Amino acid sequence: MSIRLAERVRSLPPYLFAAIDKMKQEALARGVDVIDLSIGDPDVPTPRHIVAAMKRAVGRPSNHRYPSYEGMLSFRSAVAAWYRKRFRVSLDPRSEVLSLIGSKEGIGHIPLAFVNPGEVVLVPSPGYPVYPVGTLFAGGESYLMPLLEGNRFLPDFSAVPKGVLKRAKLLFINYPNNPTSAVAGRDFFKEVINIAERYNVIVCHDAAYSEIYYDGRRPLSFMQVEGAKEVGIEFHSLSKTYNMTGWRIGFAVGNRDVIAGLGKIKTNLDSGVFQAIQEASITALQTDEATLSKIRDTYQERRDSLYEGLRKLGLHAIKPQATFYLWTKVPQGFTSSAFAAHMLEKAGVLGTPGNGFGKPGEGYVRFALTVPVKRIREAVERMGKVL
Ligand SMILES: *Cc1c(COP(=O)(O)O)cnc(C)c1O
């Protein structure tokens, strides 16, 4: 027999990091000490008090059964309490909060709930690949909105044709932004709400990095802006905030009809998050400020070291106010991929070529702050020798 993939899988965009992944494996096989600044996954373990809560929760037989798809009420209440404390936003835990098996799960699934074949989803580019892929799997059409440095990496809605806006069903935005590290202010969110109201577009704000911020400047929640709850939802994750990427838990909050629509997909596709993880996550959401400050201080020391280092090398890096990424212009004469390959070959330093996140990312490379500061210093030193 002949096994042929479905068209939706066959039409997936090419995996642009494949070449660089292969080069990394080859370098490692040659015994090169690769400093890998390409990984969007914290290197620091989950805080001990969260692990201890998990150990207790995993022993409870009541947690061994199927969880509810929408999440335990105690977990959803802890999310609502966290939102009240962190953002002064009030949420009804029963109808305005939904647990997710990592926010990627919800982001990937939401087009299935709202997008009909041929309808448009507005997607930022460069951006998290799950936005266009979830759209593709639902039969929707992605319209890519370039995020350019000249516009502080915010989409320019006036550049989107009226006809596209009229066919748009969903709009993805992501601040603090991966990969550009840009943050959005209240005015931008107000503009988003205006567009959403005028064209009847559901807003999906991905706020995975809202707690990885610097210099004490706390990013806004979309939900803090008047009218947001009428037009959309916000995705959050415990992955980056609490170093819990492997645990697979996140949540969506906001508009109850949108939450219910996403919930409808989930009841039919999955059976919720392991309850022990939800219980440990309640503990995570109640983490004291001192512990979170320590995590942020670690990233801030790394950020300062890498930012200063790159500047001294004459590279133009955007100084992040949030996220653990440095979006950095590649030097004249290089493409993103050529620069990444050059640095890996000559210096054993790996960054992520920006074009892998979308065409407008060409000309940039993304460095992640997910290695100790000593390694960052060494990476800068090695790059200095070959630039
Ligand atoms: C890491 C990340 C997420 C979170 O993923 P989880 O599935 O919650 O681990 C979501 N969006 C962006 C842009 C990310 O970089």
Side-chain angles (χ1 to χ4, degrees):
M1 71 180 259
S2 100
I3 295 177
R4 188 181 157 85
L5 290 167
E7 290 311 316
R8 77 177 66 80
V9 179
R10 293 169 61 88
S11 57
L12 281 171
Y15 181 65
L16 285 164
F17 302 126
I20 201 89
D21 284 352
K22 188 159 166 267
M23 287 185 66
K24 179 191 168 186
Q25 291 315 320
E26 285 165 3
L28 288 172
R30 284 200 309 275
V32 177
D33 170 30
V34 175
I35 303 178
D36 192 346
L37 304 180
S38 75
I39 300 178
D41 189 352
D43 58 317
V44 180
T46 307
R48 268 201 304 244
H49 67 289
I50 301 172
V51 176
M54 181 67 184
K55 285 182 178 166
R56 291 192 297 274
V58 84
R60 274 193 278 281
S62 58
N63 285 337
H64 297 171
R65 312 190 63 189
Y66 279 123
S68 65
Y69 78 90
E70 76 272 24
M72 298 162 83
L73 186 58
S74 54
F75 171 71
R76 288 179 290 148
S77 298
V79 168
W82 181 78
Y83 251 81
R84 198 175 314 116
K85 181 161 168 255
R86 167 68 174 86
F87 299 116
R88 297 182 187 284
V89 166
S90 69
L91 297 166
D92 173 7
R94 289 176 194 277
S95 59
E96 295 174 338
V97 181
L98 180 68
S99 72
L100 298 170
I101 309 170
S103 59
K104 180 179 185 179
E105 180 261 302
I107 292 166
H109 281 149
I110 195 154
L112 287 178
F114 296 103
V115 179
N116 291 302
E119 285 179 334
V120 167
V121 177
L122 302 168
V123 168
S125 179
Y128 192 51
V130 187
Y131 314 137
V133 168
T135 301
L136 172 73
F137 284 175
E141 237 177 75
S142 290
Y143 180 88
L144 302 179
M145 304 178 295
L147 305 185
L148 304 175
E149 190 163 357
N151 201 37
R152 290 170 298 134
F153 302 108
L154 301 169
D156 175 7
F157 295 112
S158 70
V160 183
K162 286 258 152 48
V164 170
L165 288 169
K166 282 184 184 153
R167 286 197 296 135
K169 196 68 193 282
L170 290 185
L171 158 63
F172 282 107
I173 48 174
N174 164 221
Y175 295 98
N177 184 259
N178 174 12
T180 69
S181 83
V183 295
R186 192 173 289 270
D187 286 349
F188 173 73
F189 285 143
K190 280 188 183 161
E191 195 189 340
V192 167
I193 292 168
N194 262 327
I195 293 281
E197 286 171 344
R198 176 139 32 117
Y199 295 98
N200 209 44
V201 184
I202 297 166
V203 178
C204 299
H205 181 232
D206 178 356
Y209 294 93
S210 74
E211 305 314 300
I212 309 295
Y213 56 81
Y214 302 105
D215 310 312
R217 293 161 74 172
R218 306 202 295 178
L220 283 178
S221 161
F222 179 57
M223 291 297 140
Q224 281 174 290
V225 182
E226 203 188 323
K229 215 195 268 183
E230 276 72 66
V231 300
I233 63 171
E234 184 157 80
F235 289 100
H236 259 285
S237 172
L238 281 84
S239 289
K240 314 294 163 48
T241 308
Y242 306 106
N243 303 326
M244 289 173 68
T245 48
W247 297 54
R248 308 316 301 136
I249 183 161
F251 50 91
V253 306
N255 185 281
R256 64 183 61 208
D257 297 327
V258 180
I259 292 289
L262 179 55
K264 199 140 215 158
I265 298 298
K266 286 177 60 61
T267 42
N268 286 285
L269 280 180
D270 70 56
S271 300
V273 177
F274 181 26
Q275 287 196 11
I277 294 177
Q278 295 189 54
E279 287 189 358
S281 296
I282 294 171
T283 299
L285 289 165
Q286 293 162 350
T287 300
D288 60 281
E289 267 312 302
T291 304
L292 295 174
S293 280
K294 241 179 85 185
I295 295 175
R296 281 190 278 269
D297 287 349
T298 301
Y299 287 126
Q300 182 144 342
E301 188 191 10
R302 295 174 181 181
R303 176 201 68 164
D304 292 345
S305 171
L306 186 56
Y307 177 72
E308 288 307 324
L310 293 173
R311 264 177 45 127
K312 282 193 188 124
L313 299 182
L315 291 175
H316 170 76
I318 312 286
K319 188 176 191 176
Q321 280 175 41
T323 78
F324 44 59
Y325 303 115
L326 266 81
W327 193 236
T328 307
K329 268 224 165 95
V330 303
Q332 286 276 327
F334 283 103
T335 61
S336 294
S337 300
F339 182 68
H342 181 72
M343 282 299 132
L344 179 59
E345 286 296 291
K346 305 287 184 215
V349 175
L350 183 58
T352 311
N355 61 316
F357 300 100
K359 267 212 189 90
E362 179 52 56
Y364 291 88
V365 61
R366 189 194 75 177
F367 291 120
L369 300 169
T370 47
V371 302
V373 72
K374 234 178 73 196
R375 294 288 275 172
I376 287 178
R377 285 196 205 108
E378 188 180 339
V380 170
E381 203 182 299
R382 288 197 210 164
M383 288 197 281
K385 287 186 185 143
V386 302
L387 265 171

